[in-house]
Amino acid sequence: MEKIRIKYLSDKIDRIRVPDEKSDWIDLRAAQDVTMSAGEYRLIPLGIAMELPEGYEAHVAPRSSTFKNFGIIQPNSPGVIDRSYCGDNDEWCVPAFALRDTEIKANDRICQFRIVKNQPRIEFEEVETLGNPDRTGFGSTGVK
């Protein structure tokens, strides 16, 4: 079992829980009250710093209800936090762009993360042909 060392930088958020069998994504919470106007961009602090295990990175994405509840989107979705971002003051944040005026309260669940193994070392081999049939266009698998 991998261990993640975590430092809480806010006393306003609940401690992170290991996910249950419904999902392996882990919820993250706003560490402070945030008020945003439509069209505003902000980094919302999440109140934690972590040391990820060797060979892993974190992928951060909005929760499925984030837009419905708060009217924000994550412009770089998903975000990637690599293992080197692990200092005592390397607070995780989520970039947010407000599409409507909104208020987010400290401890609101606004995004989620999971850890993923780093991509293996690869090399590219340039060829004249791939030798496979074409699928006939990007997004061509149909609607149903």
Side-chain angles (χ1 to χ4, degrees):
M1 178 179 302
E2 299 290 349
K3 285 199 176 191
I4 297 177
R5 293 174 10 131
I6 184 168
K7 178 180 178 182
Y8 287 92
L9 304 170
S10 171
D11 59 359
K12 295 180 181 179
I13 59 172
D14 291 348
R15 297 305 194 235
I16 292 177
R17 294 190 323 242
V18 175
D20 57 23
E21 64 279 348
K22 290 190 279 184
S23 173
D24 59 358
W25 287 80
I26 302 164
D27 288 338
L28 295 170
R29 299 168 181 272
Q32 63 189 37
D33 293 343
V34 174
T35 301
M36 296 176 71
S37 300
E40 184 179 353
Y41 168 84
R42 290 205 39 196
L43 286 175
I44 300 175
L46 299 172
I48 55 164
M50 289 191 213
E51 181 182 42
L52 298 173
E54 183 72 40
Y56 287 87
E57 63 192 24
H59 292 186
V60 180
R63 298 181 73 243
S64 59
S65 61
T66 297
F67 180 75
K68 175 183 63 107
N69 292 340
F70 303 108
I72 60 172
I73 59 173
Q74 184 179 333
N76 69 328
S77 182
V80 177
I81 299 175
D82 65 45
R83 186 176 187 279
S84 67
Y85 193 69
C86 60
D88 281 339
N89 296 301
D90 286 339
E91 182 171 14
W92 287 24
C93 295
V94 63
F97 182 78
L99 295 177
R100 66 175 188 252
D101 293 351
T102 190
E103 289 186 21
I104 300 166
K105 299 294 185 197
N107 207 43
D108 281 345
R109 295 179 299 160
I110 58 170
C111 60
Q112 59 191 339
F113 84 101
R114 67 183 306 170
I115 64 169
V116 179
K117 281 190 180 260
N118 294 126
Q119 178 170 300
R121 297 282 181 212
I122 61 171
E123 65 180 59
F124 292 98
E125 175 187 358
E126 189 172 340
V127 296
E128 293 294 321
T129 179
L130 297 174
N132 303 309
D134 294 333
R135 261 187 46 186
T136 67
F138 190 79
S140 62
T141 57
V143 180
K144 296 181 182 185

